[in-house]
C-alpha cells in the first residue's frame, strides 16, 4: 500500500474531541486505534525511506561523497516535509478508513460460595 502524503495537513490542527470519539463514544478507544494505526504508518514510512536511501549506500564513506550526494539529501528532505504518521492516522480515522473491532468481553464464572 502506497502512503498518500497529501491525505493530511503537515501543520498543527486543533481537533474537537467529539469528532474523535468514534462510533461508540469512547475517546480512549478511539485514541488507542489512532495510535496503533500511526505506529503502522510510521513503520511503513521508515521502511520506504530506508529502501530509498539504500540506493545511495556505499561501502567506502569518505568526506567528499557525504557532501556531494545531493540526491540523498533531497530524499531525506522530502520525507521530512511529509505529514507525520499521527496526522495521517487521525485523518484516516475521521474519514472512516480505519476498520477495527473490539472483542466481546468473556463471561467470568462467579465462584460458588462454600457453606
Amino acid at each position: 500500500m502506497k502512503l498518500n502524503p497529501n491525505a493530511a495537513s503537515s501543520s498543527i490542527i486543533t481537533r474537537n474531541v467529539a469528532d474523535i470519539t468514534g462510533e461508540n463514544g469512547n475517546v480512549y478507544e478511539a485514541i488507542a486505534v489512532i495510535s496503533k494505526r500511526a505506529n503502522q504508518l510510521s513503520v511503513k514510512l521508515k521502511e520506504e525511506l530506508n529502501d530509498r536511501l539504500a540506493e545511495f549506500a556505499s561501502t567506502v564513506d569518505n568526506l567528499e561523497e557525504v557532501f556531494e550526494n545531493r540526491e540523498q539529501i533531497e530524499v531525506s528532505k522530502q520525507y521530512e516535509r511529509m505529514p507525520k504518521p499521527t496526522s495521517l492516522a487521525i485523518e484516516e480515522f475521521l474519514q472512516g478508513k480505519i476498520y477495527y473491532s473490539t472483542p466481546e468481553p468473556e463471561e467470568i464464572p462467579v465462584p460458588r460460595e462454600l457453606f
Side-chain angles (χ1 to χ4, degrees), residues 56-66 69 72:
F56 303 106
S58 65
T59 56
V60 179
D61 287 335
N62 61 19
L63 201 52
E64 293 173 5
E65 288 182 10
V66 172
N69 203 343
Q72 183 178 2

Side-chain angles (χ1 to χ4, degrees), residues 76-89:
S76 296
K77 285 182 180 179
Q78 175 188 359
Y79 276 85
E80 287 175 6
R81 288 189 297 264
M82 290 176 68
K84 303 297 178 227
T86 306
S87 297
L88 292 170

Side-chain angles (χ1 to χ4, degrees), residues 30-91:
I31 297 298
V33 169
I34 291 170
S35 172
K36 288 182 182 196
R37 179 61 180 150
N39 286 337
Q40 290 173 345
L41 293 172
S42 178
V43 167
K44 183 72 173 167
L45 281 172
K46 187 168 184 149
E47 287 174 358
E48 285 181 11
L49 177 61
N50 287 337
D51 289 345
R52 290 193 60 192
L53 292 179
E55 299 171 8
F56 303 106
S58 65
T59 56
V60 179
D61 287 335
N62 61 19
L63 201 52
E64 293 173 5
E65 288 182 10
V66 172
F67 288 113
E68 291 178 4
N69 203 343
R70 299 275 182 222
E71 294 174 2
Q72 183 178 2
I73 294 169
E74 288 303 316
V75 167
S76 296
K77 285 182 180 179
Q78 175 188 359
Y79 276 85
E80 287 175 6
R81 288 189 297 264
M82 290 176 68
K84 303 297 178 227
T86 306
S87 297
L88 292 170
I90 290 171
E91 286 301 318

Side-chain angles (χ1 to χ4, degrees), residues 7 9 15 17 21 28 32 40 67 69 73-74 83 91 98 102 107 113:
S9 173
R15 301 285 182 178
V17 176
T21 56
Y28 301 107
Q40 290 173 345
F67 288 113
N69 203 343
I73 294 169
E74 288 303 316
E91 286 301 318
I98 297 177
T102 54
E107 289 284 328
E113 293 182 11

